[in-house]
Amino acid sequence: MKKAIVVATVFVISTTVLPSGSAGATHFPHTRCDISGDSCVSVKRINGVRRLRLLLLFRYFPKHEVCVKGPVGERTCHTYRTRRLFGGGWGSTIAWREHYPFEGRGVYRVVWRSRGHPVGHLKFHVG
């Protein structure tokens, strides 16, 4: 139980306090966690690469789907395995441009799902 609390605390601090560069427009949140803190999603630019991240305290499900809908309206979905992440916790970290199409400037919407149920959602802006 202590390890889970430490992992959650480190994740929250690292995603809200430490600078990591801009992931787009400042009016969209870069991280969103559920009320219990058991799962968090984030869209951040790290070393110039925009990353879509799911972090879970435990391995609640073996696979999850990540869908990105661009400004043109095309939705692209891929399924990923839920893996042990460096530093503790479970989830995935995906480089957006390697797996999803670039549709130009505008707002992109990301939805994480497991077994058809939403796990989290965020938006980011490409200028």
Side-chain angles (χ1 to χ4, degrees), residues 30-84:
H30 301 293
T31 303
R32 178 172 284 148
C33 297
D34 68 359
I35 293 172
S36 68
D38 286 352
S39 68
C40 295
V41 293
S42 68
V43 175
K44 290 191 170 184
R45 210 174 214 171
I46 301 170
N47 296 327
V49 178
R50 192 172 320 252
R51 301 199 183 272
L52 314 176
R53 185 169 210 209
L54 169 67
L55 178 67
L56 306 167
L57 286 182
F58 302 101
R59 191 172 185 222
Y60 298 114
F61 36 82
K63 295 180 186 177
H64 57 280
E65 180 180 58
V66 181
C67 297
V68 177
K69 183 177 179 183
V72 175
E74 294 294 320
R75 185 176 83 157
T76 303
C77 298
H78 296 292
T79 301
Y80 301 95
R81 290 180 50 203
T82 304
R83 299 175 185 249
R84 171 71 84 179

Side-chain angles (χ1 to χ4, degrees), residues 1-10 36-38 56-58 60 84 88-89:
M1 184 64 179
K2 283 185 178 182
K3 183 177 180 181
I5 292 170
V6 169
V7 169
T9 303
V10 168
S36 68
D38 286 352
L56 306 167
L57 286 182
F58 302 101
Y60 298 114
R84 171 71 84 179

Side-chain angles (χ1 to χ4, degrees), residues 99-118:
H99 298 276
Y100 297 93
F102 174 69
E103 295 182 12
R105 299 169 67 160
V107 176
Y108 289 74
R109 291 163 175 77
V110 185
V111 177
W112 288 261
R113 288 188 171 94
S114 173
R115 299 178 183 137
H117 300 287

